[in-house]
Amino acid sequence: FSDPIVNVQASAASLFARLGGELGEGRILQAADVAAETVVASQRADGSWPYSDDGRAQFVDGFHTGFTLQGLAEYVSTRKPPISGAERTLRAGFAYFKEHLLTPAGLPRGFADGRVSLDGQNVGQCIQTLISCGDMAADTRSAVRVWRIRIETDVIGERRGGPGFPALRWTLGPGVLATATHLDGGGGHR
């Protein structure tokens, strides 16, 4: 688990915690903990994570931070007990996400403190992050607002030429997944 890509480590922590718990396999649970330790150790003092922990890619963007938060939230909710510091790391990371990767109006930014990005992957992961990491009321309302701004129109079909179901392109895939996550109740940390 020396991969410097932080969001992959968080996703691995989630997967191994679920798989190890399901199979009752201690070795897989240890792998989950090692991956989670990498995520905890990679967090910066401000609560953010660089894309890569080896110095090659120091940027902080919305959807990779969202992958990291969602994976860590799933790890924390599945692995009992999670490693020391995982819950604190999750809270600090989510606070950073809300302050630097959302506008004051709740729209997703592409990069920390940057411009709004309504790219399908960024919007979809923003929705999933808000649902899986946030509290039920305020963060779910924010997720629904983002969904209505970008996904609802594309998925339901009130588009340029009038009503009709659109061709679902890859850019809508994350939004469709985010919609399913919302309808499923979010899973995640709560």
Side-chain angles (χ1 to χ4, degrees):
F1 294 103
S2 61
D3 192 319
I5 308 304
V6 178
N7 69 85
V8 173
Q9 297 302 309
S11 295
S14 169
L15 171 66
F16 293 148
R18 288 183 284 153
L19 184 62
E22 186 72 28
L23 299 175
E25 176 65 45
R27 200 178 71 175
I28 297 173
L29 291 171
Q30 288 175 339
D33 293 343
V34 169
E37 286 168 354
T38 299
V39 175
V40 169
S42 300
Q43 189 176 46
R44 295 172 174 164
D46 65 1
S48 70
W49 290 273
Y51 172 77
S52 172
D53 193 39
D54 66 357
R56 288 183 296 162
Q58 294 297 304
F59 63 87
V60 177
D61 68 323
F63 65 88
H64 288 106
T65 298
F67 294 154
T68 301
L69 286 165
Q70 185 176 358
L72 189 58
E74 291 168 357
Y75 165 82
V76 165
S77 70
T78 304
R79 180 72 166 111
K80 299 300 178 200
I83 62 162
S84 176
E87 293 174 292
R88 177 197 49 75
T89 298
L90 179 59
R91 285 190 303 276
F94 190 58
Y96 180 91
F97 178 85
K98 288 172 59 173
E99 183 176 337
H100 298 279
L101 291 161
L102 294 176
T103 67
L107 297 175
R109 298 178 191 270
F111 292 91
D113 300 320
R115 296 182 324 190
V116 168
S117 171
L118 296 180
D119 166 79
Q121 186 169 6
N122 195 49
V123 168
Q125 187 57 51
C126 176
I127 293 166
Q128 287 184 241
T129 302
L130 288 167
I131 291 171
S132 63
C133 299
D135 73 44
M136 285 296 265
D139 294 319
T140 298
R141 280 193 304 275
S142 294
V144 169
R145 182 172 180 278
V146 171
W147 185 85
R148 286 194 182 283
I149 288 169
R150 172 66 168 88
I151 306 300
E152 179 181 43
T153 320
D154 288 344
V155 172
I156 295 178
E158 294 293 327
R159 296 170 27 112
R160 290 171 226 124
F165 196 78
L168 293 178
R169 294 178 175 82
W170 77 266
T171 58
L172 287 180
V176 171
L177 180 60
T179 302
T181 299
H182 175 64
L183 293 174
D184 186 38
H189 181 59
R190 299 181 209 197

